[in-house]
């Protein structure tokens, strides 16, 4: 029996996840022949990182990469990789627990009275391994967990407003509302034996038509929690009164908030922040019930932007809709069309489900920090495992075009794949790693000693970027050698039987024009699922965060991950944990700061505009300099002297002074089609296809841009996509947590 040949195009998270699961069966090599075709010298896609040998083997990323504790599938996949790889115990990052550390300290920025105020949040650490969690939550389970958080904030607010002599006694007068409280009382009494005297009196007054009904916000939130605890257990959606009780109680709490807390918000950050969180939770609960998400699914509210949906469901426009948590979420998903910060757009269903999962489903820390570069922690071990299993890797293979055909059964298929061979290797295969303190890592540039010397010399002389869509390498090569770069054609039935397309969605127009002409749904996906360019810079510092003036560290002394700040570069992460993973001299830096955000770019020129990346990167440098010159003072006040940034805090070569010290730092722009971040703009999820959703029988799409049950640009969506691709091909894995998240629960 001949083996089925599978061509994997691209080496990002999804493609590599698919390869890992395809090779899980012990006899997989009797069934499949896998070859990965990768542009340039490294795996990783948008998550690629490199080590700069000229600068202390420092880690240079595409941006900031942090995993969330709710990334159930991602942690299952990477735990499996580390376990199967079974690195020696004396090797750096030999286990996934060494490669990832839980992180609980998140910081948001509020702009109040024309100044930035810091909102530090130290999330509770929850026991457990993220890989053992679940994203498969029933409607009532989501409500239950949301109400648990709401109760916490209501309790805080009741205590705070009472100190200001505000009302905390609530009365119910309407007959319909009384009947809902009667339903609540009946349900709670039947299930709980330990009803407090005060609550029992409240329930009795609800049943006694002659008595007035009085309660408190904390009492209402407590009884609401009891009811939803019951429904979360039995998952019964049949009684509409349950939903009406939730609807009534949260709206009553909302009216109390607006009457007693609003006038205190500007002057009391504790009240304001608790109000924002409570109001956000109430708006979500109202929206989920009013829009019948339980029966229509989260996809039913993807026709409206998240902020607009919150406002529609009563969220305070001034304090909540434009609050730090909401702005921070848009920053997290780079949710700005064309990188225009005035054009925020994220589908309400995608955003709501994502926020609920991130906050309610995490294990360990709410976030997990990688303890080296993403290439080192994720893609190096994946490569090692796949290589040991017999997967073939063809580096420096630039995919140019996929061409369609018809098979003997009359099915549309991918008939051939055209590839440019970017370089000629000295030996038959490329050995991609450098070792930094014993850890296998991807370098920040190709290892030229493995490339024919005359080509290597040209690459170095012309500073050729072999990963760039706009590279002029073909012209340089043609001029030098009098002939074009060599190409090859992969043919169906000879070189491949099936194709995994793991290159990002913005590349479809460039690589698959003939396929798009034949498949209207694939064409819709290519045009309706949008992407955005991103920008990032990293600086190495001589001072600690406290010496810079940031003094909000929690008892754990975790370094901050901050968002919701001024734009661009609304996100900052203190990454001093990576200093010892790099290879600096004894007088090297003692701190690192990462910054990232969306990047404004509406149009992208043709491949012949070779200077485009350089032009855009220059804009990033100026944006970064502006950030340091004028914007960081609210966070790093000790670095400014008479409003001037002290450039000496940057670690730089001796002799560099002033702004010149920034020249030795790192910055980049991600404008390439395969690097741009995948957005979830309003109404776009309906155009996302399943992995086998095209008309081409042998084509499998994979990436965070297909239909996954997350439908947002992130590692978890990418891993889920890779798992779905593998399952479509070989049946493994059988279960993917959360993939039905947009489907209704019924009733």
């Amino acid at each position: 029996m001949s083996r089925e040949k599978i061509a994997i195009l691209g080496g990002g998270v999804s493609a590599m996840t698919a390869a890992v699961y395809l090779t899980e069966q012990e006899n997989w090599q009797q069934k499949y022949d896998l070859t990965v075709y990768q542009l340039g010298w490294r795996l990783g896609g948008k998550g690629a990182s490199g080590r700069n040998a000229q600068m202390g083997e420092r880690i240079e990323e595409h941006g900031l990469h942090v995993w969330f504790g709710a990334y159930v599938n991602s942690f299952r996949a990477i735990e499996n990789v580390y376990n199967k790889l079974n690195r020696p115990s004396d090797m750096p990052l030999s286990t996934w627990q060494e490669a990832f550390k839980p992180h609980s300290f998140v910081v948001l920025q509020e702009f109040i009275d024309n100044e930035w105020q810091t909102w530090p949040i130290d999330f509770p650490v929850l026991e457990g391994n993220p890989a053992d969690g679940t994203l498969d939550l029933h409607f009532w389970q989501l409500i239950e967990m949301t109400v648990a958080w709401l109760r916490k904030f209501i309790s805080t607010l009741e205590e705070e407003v009472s100190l200001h002599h505000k009302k905390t006694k609530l009365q119910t007068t309407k007959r319909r509302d009384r009947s809902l409280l009667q339903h609540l009382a009946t349900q709670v009494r039947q299930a709980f034996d330990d009803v407090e005297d005060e609550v029992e009196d409240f329930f009795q007054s609800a049943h006694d038509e002659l008595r007035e009904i009085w309660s408190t916000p904390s009492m209402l939130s407590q009884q609401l929690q009891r009811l939803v605890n019951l429904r979360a257990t039995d998952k019964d959606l049949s009684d509409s009164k349950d939903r009406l009780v939730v609807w009534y109680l949260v709206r009553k709490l909302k009216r109390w908030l607006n009457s007693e807390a609003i006038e205190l918000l500007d002057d009391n950050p504790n009240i304001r922040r608790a109000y924002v969180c409570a109001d956000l939770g109430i708006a979500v609960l109202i929206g989920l019930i009013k829009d019948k998400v339980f029966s229509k699914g989260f996809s039913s509210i993807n026709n409206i932007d998240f902020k607009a949906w919150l406002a529609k469901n009563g969220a305070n426009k001034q304090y909540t809709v434009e609050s730090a948590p909401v702005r921070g979420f848009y920053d997290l998903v780079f949710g700005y069309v064309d990188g225009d910060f005035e054009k925020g757009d994220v589908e309400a269903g995608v955003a709501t489900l994502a926020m609920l999962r991130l906050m309610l489903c995490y294990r360990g820390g709410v976030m997990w920090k990688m303890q080296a570069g993403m290439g080192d922690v994720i893609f190096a071990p994946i490569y090692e495992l796949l290589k040991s299993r017999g997967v073939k890797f063809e580096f420096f293979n630039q995919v140019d075009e996929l061409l369609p055909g018809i098979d003997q059964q009359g099915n549309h298929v991918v008939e051939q794949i055209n590839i440019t061979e970017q370089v000629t290797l000295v030996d038959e295969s490329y050995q991609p790693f450098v070792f930094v303190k014993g850890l296998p890592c991807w370098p920040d540039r190709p290892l030229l000693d493995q490339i024919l010397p005359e080509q290597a010399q040209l690459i170095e002389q012309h500073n050729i970027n072999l990963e760039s869509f706009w590279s002029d390498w073909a012209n340089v090569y043609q001029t030098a050698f009098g002939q074009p770069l060599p190409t090859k054609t992969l043919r169906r039935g000879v070189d491949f039987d099936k194709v995994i397309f793991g290159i990002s969605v913005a590349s479809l127009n460039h690589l698959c024009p003939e396929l798009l002409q034949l498949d209207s749904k694939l064409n819709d996906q290519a045009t309706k699922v949008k992407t955005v360019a991103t920008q990032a810079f990293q600086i190495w510092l001589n001072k600690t965060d406290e010496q810079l003036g940031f003094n909000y560290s929690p008892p754990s002394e975790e370094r901050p991950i901050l968002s919701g700040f001024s734009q661009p570069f609304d996100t900052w992460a203190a990454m001093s944990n990576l200093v010892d993973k790099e290879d600096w001299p004894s007088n090297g830096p003692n701190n690192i700061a990462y910054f990232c955000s969306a990047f404004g770019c509406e149009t992208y020129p043709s491949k012949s505009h070779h200077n485009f990346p350089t032009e855009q990167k220059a804009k990033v440098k100026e944006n970064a300099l502006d950030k340091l010159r004028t914007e960081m003072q609210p966070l790093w006040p000790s670095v400014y002297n008479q409003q001037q940034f002290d450039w000496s805090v940057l670690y730089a070569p001796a002799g560099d002074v002033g702004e010149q010290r920034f020249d030795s730092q790192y910055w980049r722009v991600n404008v390439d089609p395969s690097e741009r971040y995948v957005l979830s703009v309003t109404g776009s999820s309906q155009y996302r296809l399943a992995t086998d959703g095209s008309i081409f029988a042998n084509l499998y799409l994979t990436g965070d841009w297909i239909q996954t049950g997350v439908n947002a640009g992130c590692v978890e969506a990418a891993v889920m996509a890779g798992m779905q691709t593998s399952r479509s091909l070989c049946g493994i894995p059988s279960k993917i947590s959360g993939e039905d998240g947009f489907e209704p629960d019924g009733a």
Side-chain angles (χ1 to χ4, degrees):
M1 176 177 145
S2 61
R3 296 189 299 165
E4 194 169 58
K5 294 182 178 179
I6 301 177
I8 302 177
L9 309 183
V13 169
S14 295
M16 293 301 92
T17 299
V20 168
Y21 279 98
L22 279 167
T23 58
E24 278 296 283
Q25 290 177 304
E26 289 186 7
N27 64 342
W28 78 269
Q29 291 193 55
Q30 298 174 23
K31 298 180 179 181
Y32 306 115
D33 181 349
L34 302 184
T35 304
V36 177
Y37 297 91
Q38 174 62 47
L39 175 76
W41 67 95
R42 58 182 170 180
L43 302 179
K46 291 185 283 289
S49 67
R51 294 299 191 118
N52 187 333
Q54 298 174 338
M55 296 292 291
E57 295 289 2
R58 71 186 186 188
I59 298 164
E60 296 178 349
E61 298 273 7
H62 273 63
L64 172 63
H65 298 286
V66 177
W67 284 25
F68 283 85
Y71 283 2
V72 174
N73 298 290
S74 302
F75 276 99
R76 286 177 184 171
I78 202 62
E79 179 179 19
N80 176 58
V81 168
Y82 275 87
N83 289 345
K84 295 291 176 61
L85 188 58
N86 195 23
R87 284 174 163 174
S89 59
D90 59 352
M91 180 179 175
L93 308 187
S94 62
T95 66
W96 78 266
Q97 293 95 334
E98 293 176 4
F100 288 87
K101 296 297 181 185
H103 183 88
S104 303
F105 186 47
V106 178
V107 179
L108 298 172
Q109 289 299 116
E110 298 179 291
F111 196 61
I112 306 294
D113 293 334
N114 291 316
E115 69 176 24
W116 289 102
Q117 294 189 24
T118 297
W119 180 354
I121 307 169
D122 196 18
F123 280 86
V125 176
L126 302 180
E127 292 299 319
N129 176 353
D132 298 329
T134 182
L135 298 178
D136 292 313
L137 296 180
H138 186 269
F139 175 79
W140 278 118
Q141 290 173 311
L142 289 173
I143 297 293
E144 174 193 34
M145 298 165 98
T146 305
V147 167
W149 279 86
L150 174 62
R151 183 183 172 191
K152 171 186 173 183
F153 296 120
I154 290 296
S155 177
T156 298
L157 284 163
E158 184 174 327
E159 183 178 338
E160 288 280 354
V161 301
S162 66
L163 296 176
H164 291 79
H165 308 293
K166 293 286 188 174
K167 182 177 70 174
T168 59
K169 290 289 186 181
L170 308 179
Q171 187 176 20
T172 298
T173 56
K174 294 181 181 178
R175 177 169 295 278
R176 180 173 182 268
D177 297 341
R178 181 185 286 271
S179 71
L180 292 175
L181 291 180
Q182 290 170 358
H183 176 76
L184 171 67
T186 300
Q187 296 295 310
V188 172
R189 277 172 166 168
Q190 289 176 352
F192 295 93
D193 297 326
D194 57 343
V195 176
E196 301 87 342
D197 291 341
E198 182 185 20
V199 175
E200 179 59 38
D201 186 65
F202 166 59
F203 285 162
Q204 288 178 3
S205 65
H207 279 94
D208 187 344
E209 301 286 343
L210 299 178
R211 292 182 59 184
E212 293 182 334
I213 307 174
W214 290 92
S215 60
T216 64
S218 57
M219 180 191 295
L220 292 181
S221 62
Q222 179 196 36
Q223 302 318 306
L224 175 59
Q225 185 174 11
R226 282 175 164 169
L227 175 65
V228 297
N229 286 160
L230 296 174
R231 296 293 84 89
T233 301
D234 60 31
K235 299 181 181 179
D236 185 359
L237 285 160
S238 62
D239 194 336
S240 62
K241 277 192 174 181
D242 291 333
R243 298 189 293 274
L244 288 173
V245 168
V246 177
W247 167 272
Y248 162 64
L249 291 180
V250 296
R251 292 180 76 224
K252 190 171 187 68
L253 291 171
K254 168 75 172 180
R255 288 192 294 272
W256 170 73
L257 287 175
N258 286 346
S259 69
E260 303 304 314
I262 283 285
E263 65 183 49
L264 304 174
L265 301 188
D266 288 336
D267 300 323
N268 190 316
N270 290 333
I271 294 179
R272 180 177 65 249
R273 292 163 186 172
Y275 173 91
V276 164
C277 293
D279 194 42
L280 186 58
I282 288 170
V284 167
L285 290 167
I286 289 173
L288 294 181
I289 293 171
K290 186 173 72 173
D291 291 330
K292 299 182 178 179
V293 171
F294 53 89
S295 62
K296 297 181 179 179
F298 279 90
S299 60
S300 66
I301 56 173
N302 277 334
N303 61 341
I304 183 172
D305 171 63
F306 180 55
K307 286 185 179 180
W309 183 75
L310 289 175
K312 187 186 82 165
N313 291 299
N316 185 292
K317 292 182 180 180
Q318 177 184 355
Y319 293 101
T320 305
V321 175
E322 295 300 330
S323 66
V326 175
R327 288 186 298 105
F329 182 81
Y330 278 70
D331 296 344
L332 172 68
V333 297
F334 300 96
Y336 305 98
V337 178
D338 297 327
D340 184 342
F341 297 112
E342 299 301 317
K343 293 162 61 176
D345 189 355
V346 183
E347 290 174 308
V350 167
T352 305
L353 183 59
M355 289 186 78
L356 290 172
R357 283 172 164 174
L358 293 179
M359 294 298 101
L360 306 179
C361 299
Y362 74 87
R363 299 280 185 97
V366 68
M367 295 179 177
W368 289 68
K369 265 187 174 180
M370 285 173 277
Q371 299 303 300
M374 188 162 180
D376 314 333
V377 169
I378 307 300
F379 294 101
I382 287 177
Y383 173 80
E384 288 182 303
L385 179 64
L386 292 176
K387 190 74 173 173
S388 71
R389 288 177 168 181
V391 175
K392 297 188 288 290
F393 288 84
E394 298 288 344
F395 291 100
F396 305 105
N397 273 241
Q398 175 183 300
V399 177
D400 295 321
E401 190 172 11
L402 282 66
L403 297 176
I406 302 290
D407 68 10
Q408 291 181 336
Q409 289 73 42
N411 298 313
H412 290 283
V413 290
V414 175
E415 187 66 31
Q416 69 182 56
I417 304 167
N418 295 333
I419 288 177
T420 295
E421 296 179 319
Q422 295 177 290
V423 302
T424 305
L425 297 173
V426 174
D427 296 319
E428 188 173 331
S429 65
Y430 182 71
Q431 306 303 314
F433 290 147
V434 294
F435 287 81
V436 180
K437 297 182 175 180
L439 184 69
C441 303
W442 306 90
D444 70 329
R445 62 201 69 188
L447 299 173
L448 296 179
D449 60 343
Q450 298 184 50
I451 298 171
L452 285 184
E454 55 268 32
Q455 294 181 20
Q457 184 178 0
L458 278 176
I459 291 170
E460 190 167 32
Q461 177 184 342
H462 292 271
N463 195 26
I464 298 296
N465 181 357
L466 293 174
E467 293 179 327
S468 174
F469 177 79
W470 288 274
S471 171
D472 62 348
W473 173 231
N475 294 335
V476 170
Y477 185 96
Q478 173 90 39
T479 300
F481 300 113
Q483 59 186 13
L485 282 165
T487 60
K488 62 185 177 187
T489 298
L490 308 182
R491 302 189 184 280
R492 184 178 64 87
V494 178
D495 304 294
F496 69 90
D497 299 298
K498 294 180 177 176
V499 181
I500 295 176
F501 187 88
I503 307 170
S504 195
V505 65
S507 298
L508 283 171
N509 281 317
H510 303 290
L511 304 184
C512 307
E514 292 193 27
L515 274 61
L516 300 185
Q517 288 180 9
L518 295 170
D519 189 340
S520 60
K521 290 185 178 179
L522 186 60
N523 186 64
D524 281 343
Q525 177 154 23
T527 55
K528 303 291 177 59
V529 179
K530 303 292 186 182
T531 61
V532 65
T534 61
Q535 58 187 323
F537 75 96
Q538 299 170 204
I539 55 176
W540 285 259
L541 299 146
N542 299 315
K543 293 188 176 183
T544 66
D545 300 321
E546 286 75 17
Q547 289 170 335
L548 297 172
F550 189 84
N551 293 303
Y552 296 92
S553 296
S556 65
E557 297 186 356
E558 284 186 344
R559 302 295 87 193
I561 295 177
L562 178 146
S563 196
F565 192 35
S566 59
Q567 296 160 327
F569 299 117
D570 42 52
T571 300
W572 158 54
M575 303 294 286
S576 58
N577 60 299
L578 297 182
V579 172
D580 66 349
K581 308 304 188 299
E582 300 173 342
D583 195 12
W584 297 100
S586 58
N587 62 342
N590 58 18
N591 198 3
I592 310 172
Y594 284 20
F595 296 84
C596 66
S597 75
F599 177 76
C601 189
E602 293 185 30
T603 58
Y604 300 88
S606 68
K607 295 181 73 170
S608 61
H609 192 141
H610 302 305
N611 289 330
F612 179 70
T614 302
E615 294 164 358
Q616 305 312 302
K617 187 177 178 182
K619 294 178 183 177
V620 175
K621 181 182 181 183
E622 193 55 37
N623 289 343
L625 287 169
D626 281 345
K627 191 73 178 183
L628 298 178
R629 289 179 189 131
T630 62
E631 298 288 335
M632 287 302 292
Q633 191 163 1
L635 300 179
W636 296 349
S638 300
V639 183
Y640 290 80
N641 183 15
Q642 296 182 342
Q643 309 299 314
Q644 299 296 309
F645 185 81
D646 178 7
W647 297 98
S648 69
V649 300
L650 300 183
Y651 179 83
D656 287 357
V657 296
E659 288 190 9
Q660 181 186 15
R661 297 177 70 84
F662 185 83
D663 294 342
S664 58
Q665 310 305 308
Y666 177 71
W667 62 97
R668 69 172 294 130
V669 64
N670 299 309
V671 289
D672 272 58
S674 61
E675 292 178 342
R676 300 202 289 267
Y677 198 90
V678 179
L679 298 177
S680 306
V681 299
T682 302
S684 64
S685 276
Q686 62 185 305
Y687 299 107
R688 290 172 175 253
L689 299 178
T691 184
D692 57 356
S694 79
I695 66 171
F696 302 97
N698 64 340
L699 177 64
Y700 295 82
L701 311 170
T702 201
D704 59 5
W705 45 278
I706 71 170
Q707 186 72 245
T708 61
V710 173
N711 291 1
C714 64
V715 166
E716 182 71 353
V719 168
M720 292 169 74
M723 294 168 76
Q724 289 174 327
T725 299
S726 174
R727 185 177 60 192
S728 292
L729 286 161
C730 73
I732 297 174
S734 60
K735 176 65 176 172
I736 303 172
S737 185
E739 67 176 331
D740 298 323
F742 291 100
E743 299 302 314
D745 286 320

